Amino acid sequence: MPDHFILRREHFHELLEALKARGYQVIGPTVREGAIVYEELSSINDLPIGWADEQDGGSYRLKPRNDQALFGYVVGPHSWKRFFHPPAVRLWQVSRDGKGFQFEEQEPANRKMAFIGVRACELHAIAIQDKVFLGGSFVDSNYRMRREGTFMIAVNCGQAGKTCFCASMNAGPKATSGFDLALTEILDGGDHYFVVEVGTMLGGEILQKLPHELASVTQMEKAKNIHAATAKQMGRSMDTAGIKDLLYGNYENSRWEDVASRCLTCGNCTMVCPTCFCTTVEDVGDLKGEHAERWQKWDSCFTTDFSYIHGGSVRASPKARYRQWMTHKLATWIDQFGSSGCVGCGRCITWCPVAIDITQEVRAIRETDIRTKEYAEKNNGNT
Ligand code: SF4
Ligand code: SF4
């Protein structure tokens, strides 16, 4: 039985209605403060209809498209991690009650979420965070409660941005797993429709509620051509061959000093990265000493506090912090979790205020690999 169908644009609102009727809170892309962010959608009019995003190192702009595409952008500063692993979570609170203390553990709100517009690279990032939070001997119960039962609607990218490199990370641009439904948006003259791939039984059940038809061979071909064209459009690429050994063998490469002279250690790259997961814990008390709360908040390995142990920070210099971030993402992550920590979404390049580019940094290290004969000869020549 074929598993590709057509959902016409005029029926698209029924998808949201079907999800809401099943009790889902529908979350998807919308325009806010000049960027495309992920928020609760009340109707499809909240989608970024007719908007595209123009991105490059350190730059992001929305610009109108010359059509009414619902998903005609790439990715914005938000990633879906904010819903499973929120930026700030109250873990517990405690109050005096006259006789002693009353502790109250915080339970995550019991809401079923449906995500619409998840990109292929983002599905890969979610799979990576699943491994981090759920895959080891310690399971993060807060993450699990938020994550369980989420309905995923992937939307394959119809164009790539200048900072995208998911194709070279084998993480896109077409969604291959982790979705209930995957859509490819097609605007063909006056014809506007979605080619729908069903990923799960539940996805099939939802589709059954909507007016749909079987996709023709021509329509499936059009979708395939869009995926192929998007893969070719990627503005960046990363050569990952032997990357773990490359980075392990180049802790002393002078490129780290070069990048550190540009890096502001602002931590933006870690905040926008869909796989970064580090947190800190803060305790807050009221002035009367009656009430206290413990909060878990996103943290960044670019702060000196992050690696503070007795006597000082282990990574006191920007060089040490940038080197640790990139080496963790691309090398030690492989030993820790069995995959790269980077899915090639390009956010860390777009949202870096000084346009530091992780693909360029890897290339520079490759070109100056201190394990090579060229390096040895150059070094001997200099002594
Ligand atoms: S690489 Fe860019 S975004 Fe990341 S900490 Fe340095 S300046 Fe900030
Ligand atoms: S390291 Fe950069 S490109 Fe890779 S997943 Fe994180 S934000 Fe995206």
Side-chain angles (χ1 to χ4, degrees):
M1 184 178 153
D3 61 353
H4 287 77
F5 302 89
I6 299 298
L7 175 64
R8 302 222 150 257
R9 163 66 179 89
E10 57 268 31
H11 296 301
F12 194 83
H13 67 281
E14 294 176 50
L15 174 56
L16 266 73
E17 283 154 22
L19 292 167
K20 284 187 186 172
R22 284 200 166 222
Y24 286 107
Q25 178 192 30
V26 181
I27 296 166
T30 195
V31 174
R32 182 160 59 79
E33 293 169 14
I36 292 173
V37 297
Y38 299 144
E39 282 182 355
E40 183 168 4
L41 304 178
S42 54
S43 81
I44 61 163
N45 296 328
D46 292 341
L47 289 170
I49 302 173
W51 286 104
D53 48 3
E54 219 169 45
Q55 307 194 32
D56 210 337
S59 107
Y60 176 96
R61 293 279 178 280
L62 289 188
K63 58 166 199 185
R65 294 171 58 98
N66 55 12
D67 60 27
Q68 291 292 294
L70 306 190
F71 300 94
Y73 59 91
V74 184
V75 287
H78 279 186
S79 68
W80 303 97
K81 79 174 175 184
R82 64 189 300 102
F83 300 101
F84 297 150
H85 174 49
V89 176
R90 187 167 61 194
L91 298 174
W92 48 257
Q93 53 185 323
V94 58
S95 301
R96 284 186 200 274
D97 63 0
K99 296 180 220 139
F101 297 105
Q102 283 292 336
F103 277 87
E104 193 189 321
E105 201 172 338
Q106 195 74 16
E107 295 290 337
N110 191 14
R111 52 178 192 175
K112 279 201 310 182
M113 295 185 284
F115 292 173
I116 186 159
V118 187
R119 301 305 197 184
C121 63
E122 299 182 306
L123 287 169
H124 279 266
I126 290 169
I128 288 172
Q129 286 215 324
D130 284 352
K131 201 172 258 190
V132 170
F133 289 111
L134 309 175
S137 46
F138 172 76
V139 168
D140 186 311
S141 54
N142 271 314
Y143 181 92
R144 190 187 59 211
M145 284 172 81
R146 291 183 168 86
R147 172 76 174 91
E148 270 174 0
T150 302
F151 190 84
M152 295 278 184
I153 304 177
V155 178
N156 296 314
C157 287
Q159 65 275 305
K162 284 192 187 156
T163 57
C164 290
F165 58 102
C166 67
S168 56
M169 302 307 287
N170 289 324
K174 184 185 179 304
T176 51
S177 62
F179 57 82
D180 294 286
L181 294 172
L183 316 181
T184 302
E185 183 171 27
I186 298 186
L187 292 109
D188 191 7
D191 208 9
H192 189 172
Y193 59 92
F194 295 85
V195 175
V196 184
E197 190 181 348
V198 176
T200 61
M201 295 268 289
L202 185 57
E205 275 174 40
I206 296 280
L207 186 66
Q208 285 305 320
K209 304 272 177 219
L210 316 172
H212 64 283
E213 60 208 71
L214 282 180
S216 67
V217 174
T218 313
Q219 287 166 326
M220 288 197 283
E221 247 345 277
K222 281 188 186 198
K224 253 196 211 166
N225 292 342
I226 288 175
H227 308 151
T230 305
K232 279 199 196 133
Q233 267 177 13
M234 303 267 144
R236 305 288 207 274
S237 71
M238 186 185 282
D239 176 3
T240 57
I243 196 161
K244 192 176 91 169
D245 293 335
L246 174 75
L247 294 177
Y248 282 173
N250 276 277
Y251 283 120
E252 302 307 328
N253 194 305
S254 59
R255 182 68 187 189
W256 301 117
E257 269 129 44
D258 182 289
V259 67
S261 70
R262 289 172 281 132
C263 176
L264 310 173
T265 66
C266 64
N268 265 17
C269 46
T270 56
M271 296 294 120
V272 294
C273 179
T275 65
C276 277
F277 58 85
C278 290
T279 53
T280 187
V281 165
E282 283 179 13
D283 291 336
V284 189
D286 68 0
L287 290 176
K288 288 195 209 152
E290 297 291 326
H291 183 82
E293 300 184 348
R294 174 160 289 181
W295 285 79
Q296 175 184 282
K297 294 186 173 172
W298 284 0
D299 201 357
S300 172
C301 53
F302 279 94
T303 68
T304 44
D305 277 358
F306 190 77
S307 65
Y308 187 92
I309 53 171
H310 62 87
S313 176
V314 170
R315 293 187 283 268
S317 68
K319 170 185 162 186
R321 278 175 264 155
Y322 188 88
R323 180 175 59 189
Q324 118 73 29
W325 177 69
M326 196 171 105
T327 306
H328 185 213
K329 265 301 106 170
L330 301 172
T332 50
W333 202 297
I334 298 171
D335 284 334
Q336 203 177 359
F337 301 112
S339 75
S340 173
C342 174
V343 296
C345 71
R347 286 184 178 91
C348 59
I349 307 171
T350 298
W351 296 95
C352 173
V354 291
I356 290 172
D357 176 345
I358 191 170
T359 66
Q360 181 54 34
E361 295 312 313
V362 170
R363 199 167 297 123
I365 293 212
R366 220 175 257 293
E367 283 163 6
T368 56
D369 187 348
I370 63 174
R371 302 165 306 166
T372 57
K373 199 164 142 243
E374 291 77 24
Y375 176 83
E377 280 169 2
K378 195 172 148 213
N379 229 26
N380 286 339
N382 286 342
T383 53

